């Protein structure tokens, strides 16, 4: 994953009132933690930042008053209705440093005819270099038959990463497809029989 370069500005104001004014000025409040240093409070350009953090575990190369700073996105707070970014928590990192990240699982391929796959684990935890973070872990289900299971230990991990999720954890389960059409026909027949019985009872009562 490549670094996303952004210009950041130090801030000394806090609170909801300031955050609201910052957003009106197309800025996003953020704070940088890590390495035992005092937190650094900054603002980031809203449009460029929103684009930069579309992928999980985005790595940001920040220019803070002319000083370079490398940071990993750890948490994003969004407005529950508008979904605009309200605040970002960042973790300061160094090149070559190992970090723990949650990476989404991406399924590709088609399982055997008459089967469906269930993604039991949507993300896995990995240890990876801060400057070489994978965007996803790809799982191929091509041709796999009913009853097959893919566990953490079966995953093909991106180069340089270590699996931290339990190796026995079930990631993907392949099962037989349910015949929806047959179920609907059975339900329809049952409903028709019930309606017929109800009509017969009503006619008998009328007589």
């Amino acid at each position: 994953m490549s670094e996303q370069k952004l210009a950041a500005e130090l801030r000394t104001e806090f609170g909801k009132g300031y955050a609201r004014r910052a957003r009106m000025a197309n800025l996003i409040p953020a704070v940088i933690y890590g390495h035992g240093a005092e937190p650094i409070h900054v603002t980031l350009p809203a449009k460029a930042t929103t684009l930069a953090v579309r992928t999980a575990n985005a790595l940001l190369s920040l220019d803070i008053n002319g000083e370079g700073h490398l940071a990993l996105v750890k948490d994003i707070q969004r407005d529950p209705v508008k979904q605009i970014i309200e605040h970002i928590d960042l973790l300061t990192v160094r090149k070559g440093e190992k970090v723990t990240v949650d990476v989404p699982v991406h399924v590709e391929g088609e399982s055997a005819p008459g089967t469906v796959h269930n993604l039991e684990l949507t993300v896995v935890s990995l240890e990876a270099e801060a400057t070489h973070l994978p965007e996803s872990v790809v799982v191929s289900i091509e041709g796999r038959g009913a009853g097959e299971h893919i566990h953490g230990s079966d995953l093909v991990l991106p180069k340089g990463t270590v699996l931290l999720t339990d190796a026995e954890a079930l990631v993907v389960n392949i099962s037989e497809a349910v015949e929806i059409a047959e179920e609907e026909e059975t339900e329809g027949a049952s409903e028709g029989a019930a309606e017929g019985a109800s009509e017969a009872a009503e006619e008998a009562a009328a007589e």
Side-chain angles (χ1 to χ4, degrees):
M1 182 183 299
S2 60
E3 303 169 17
Q4 303 292 322
K5 296 183 178 181
L6 295 173
E9 295 181 2
L10 291 172
R11 62 185 172 97
T12 56
E13 294 184 71
F14 310 96
K16 293 183 178 179
Y18 168 75
R20 184 166 53 251
R21 293 195 302 274
R23 288 192 291 273
M24 290 179 64
N26 294 317
L27 297 172
I28 298 173
V31 60
I32 308 171
Y33 301 96
H35 291 169
E38 288 292 320
I40 303 173
H41 299 272
V42 298
T43 55
L44 303 171
K47 184 177 181 180
T49 302
T50 300
L51 291 174
V53 302
R54 286 183 300 178
T55 57
N57 306 308
L59 185 65
L60 306 182
S61 178
L62 304 177
D63 181 338
I64 307 176
N65 294 345
E67 182 179 335
H69 204 101
L70 202 59
L72 180 66
V73 175
K74 294 303 292 182
D75 188 53
I76 299 176
Q77 292 93 54
R78 298 179 184 271
D79 180 282
V81 178
K82 298 180 181 179
Q83 287 298 301
I84 59 173
I85 298 175
E86 295 187 327
H87 189 275
I88 298 179
D89 288 342
L90 301 168
L91 176 67
T92 186
V93 295
R94 300 188 180 101
K95 290 187 177 181
E97 179 182 1
K98 297 283 188 176
V99 296
T100 298
V101 290
D102 289 334
V103 179
V105 177
H106 177 69
V107 176
E108 67 175 19
E110 297 287 341
S111 56
T115 67
V116 294
H117 76 274
N118 298 300
L119 184 60
E120 306 291 347
L121 207 59
T122 57
V123 297
V124 292
S125 293
L126 302 177
E127 182 184 74
E129 286 190 19
T131 53
H132 294 86
L133 298 176
E135 294 187 11
S136 65
V137 172
V138 178
V139 180
S140 175
I141 61 170
E142 188 65 37
R144 290 184 177 269
E148 290 195 52
H149 303 91
I150 300 173
H151 296 89
S153 58
D154 300 318
L155 298 176
V156 178
L157 301 178
K159 184 179 179 180
T161 64
V162 176
L163 180 70
L164 300 180
T165 294
D166 186 354
E168 297 303 314
L170 179 61
V171 180
V172 182
N173 174 40
I174 310 296
S175 59
E176 292 185 1
V178 177
E179 295 294 338
I180 303 297
E182 291 184 3
E183 287 186 355
E184 290 177 348
E185 288 177 4
T186 302
E187 290 175 1
S190 299
E191 290 175 359
E195 289 176 1
S198 177
E199 290 175 359
E202 289 176 0
E203 290 176 0
E207 292 175 357

